[in-house]
Amino acid sequence: MRSTFIAGVAVVLAASTAAAQEVTLRAVSSFAEGTEFSKNFERFIEKVNADGKGLIKINYIGGPRAVPPFEVGNAVRTRVVDIANVTGAFYTNLMPEADGFKLNGKPMSEQRKNGTWEYINQLHNQKLNSYYLARQFHNVPFHIYLNKKIDKIDFSGLKIRVTPVYRDVVEALGGTPITTAPGEVYTALERGVADGYGWPVTGIFDLGWDKVTKFRMEPPFYSVEVNVLVNLDSWKALNDAQRKVLTDAALWLEGLDSEKVAVIKAERERQAAAGIQALDFGPAASKAFLDRANDVAWQSVIKRAPESGPKLRQLAGN
Ligand code: 173
């Protein structure tokens, strides 16, 4: 009788200790739920919740309806949320050099070995009070999509929807940049407020933009970066086992980039089938565009971040 009672108490104690140790993190994405640039983050959450049972759980609040895209960086910084899926382009107000991450398209396995991850993590620690848990989509490029046909790579007279990703190159080529969140792109095109927009090669079908897009300009340029950031105080409050669940899932998430080769091929075919015409001006014009795009972006990053800009450029090696 007595030993049964003691065993019972021991079980209850063990259960309550485990329950007390399970931490719940609040998560948001800067992209709409279920769309291309949220999907893998959502898979990451499922994995953490499965692998971390009893230790750590992520409560996914959702996409831009929860926190506007350009405020997600600040929401992580101030611990309004614990973890976020967000591109550096959306928090350049807090970290101007975040605009330089698109200029490094090396696989994360390499960036984690050669000191790039560590340096970018330090920048996040200092400027965004956050931990740089993962970077996704290093092998997915951007394009400029247009509704007016051009006969050379020149945006004179065109209004083009941008974020910091495309602003400098659009201006350098004579276009008028208009900054909007992704959620406003459809209406801007439909109303003719914009004649085109910057966006990755993937994802234009998610919000129906294929219906308001005529051309995709070649060549592809830069490298998409969507990061998983954890508020630094939330990160420090975790124990080793909890951090391991997140870190293992982060490496797995980065590995999902290998799926993108096939996704990009399928997406280009789907765009062609939807009547979106590629505008290709040949190898010489493409090379000139890529050189210009690279130059103006680094100049802009280095001007706004004179210390970290050159260091990021050296790490990117371009
Ligand atoms: O165009 C954008 O909104 C943008 O900057 C971006 C960045 C990464 C992935 C998708 C879009």
Side-chain angles (χ1 to χ4, degrees), residues 28 83 226:
V28 295
I83 182 164
V226 179

Side-chain angles (χ1 to χ4, degrees), residues 61-283:
I61 298 163
R65 276 173 303 180
V67 181
F70 298 136
E71 287 165 35
V72 169
N74 202 40
V76 186
R77 187 181 69 82
T78 55
R79 213 178 179 179
V80 166
V81 299
D82 300 297
I83 182 164
N85 181 60
V86 59
T87 170
F90 293 172
Y91 52 84
T92 54
N93 55 331
L94 300 170
M95 192 195 285
E97 56 273 69
D99 193 30
F101 305 155
K102 69 188 179 198
L103 300 164
N104 194 329
K106 293 181 184 172
M108 281 312 286
S109 52
E110 197 179 328
Q111 296 198 37
R112 284 182 183 274
K113 276 190 216 117
N114 71 10
T116 308
W117 176 86
E118 203 172 4
Y119 184 65
I120 295 179
N121 182 42
Q122 275 170 27
L123 293 174
H124 282 89
N125 292 178
Q126 290 159 9
K127 301 199 169 180
L128 229 76
N129 188 39
S130 66
Y131 183 80
Y132 181 51
L133 188 67
R135 181 249 170 112
Q136 312 157 71
F137 308 113
H138 79 281
N139 54 352
V140 179
F142 295 93
H143 281 274
I144 299 294
Y145 297 85
L146 295 168
N147 279 331
K148 291 189 178 156
K149 196 163 190 171
I150 51 174
D151 50 20
K152 58 180 194 295
I153 302 183
D154 180 346
F155 303 142
S156 299
L158 298 178
K159 292 168 289 181
I160 300 182
R161 174 271 172 184
V162 300
T163 64
V165 172
Y166 333 90
R167 169 175 283 275
D168 297 300
V169 69
V170 163
E171 274 180 346
L173 294 167
T176 303
I178 303 166
T179 302
T180 82
E184 285 136 43
V185 171
Y186 188 97
T187 314
L189 293 164
E190 198 186 26
R191 297 194 182 152
V193 172
D195 303 308
Y197 58 100
W199 191 257
V201 64
T202 52
I204 70 155
F205 292 90
D206 283 336
L207 300 173
W209 300 347
D210 53 302
K211 297 185 188 71
V212 284
T213 303
K214 294 199 175 108
F215 306 103
R216 184 191 66 245
M217 194 189 93
E218 298 294 317
F221 62 103
Y222 302 155
S223 184
V224 173
E225 49 89 31
V226 179
N227 307 312
V228 179
L229 306 182
V230 184
N231 172 277
L232 198 54
D233 301 303
S234 305
W235 177 255
K236 286 181 179 160
L238 301 176
N239 64 32
D240 288 348
Q242 291 161 336
R243 284 189 207 149
K244 184 169 180 341
V245 172
L246 288 183
T247 302
D248 289 350
L251 297 177
W252 172 85
L253 173 65
E254 290 178 352
L256 296 181
D257 280 1
S258 62
E259 298 175 354
K260 292 298 152 192
V261 178
V263 172
I264 290 169
K265 185 169 178 287
E267 189 91 1
R268 289 173 65 94
E269 286 165 10
R270 191 175 171 198
Q271 289 183 16
I276 298 170
Q277 223 180 300
L279 295 177
D280 190 335
F281 302 99

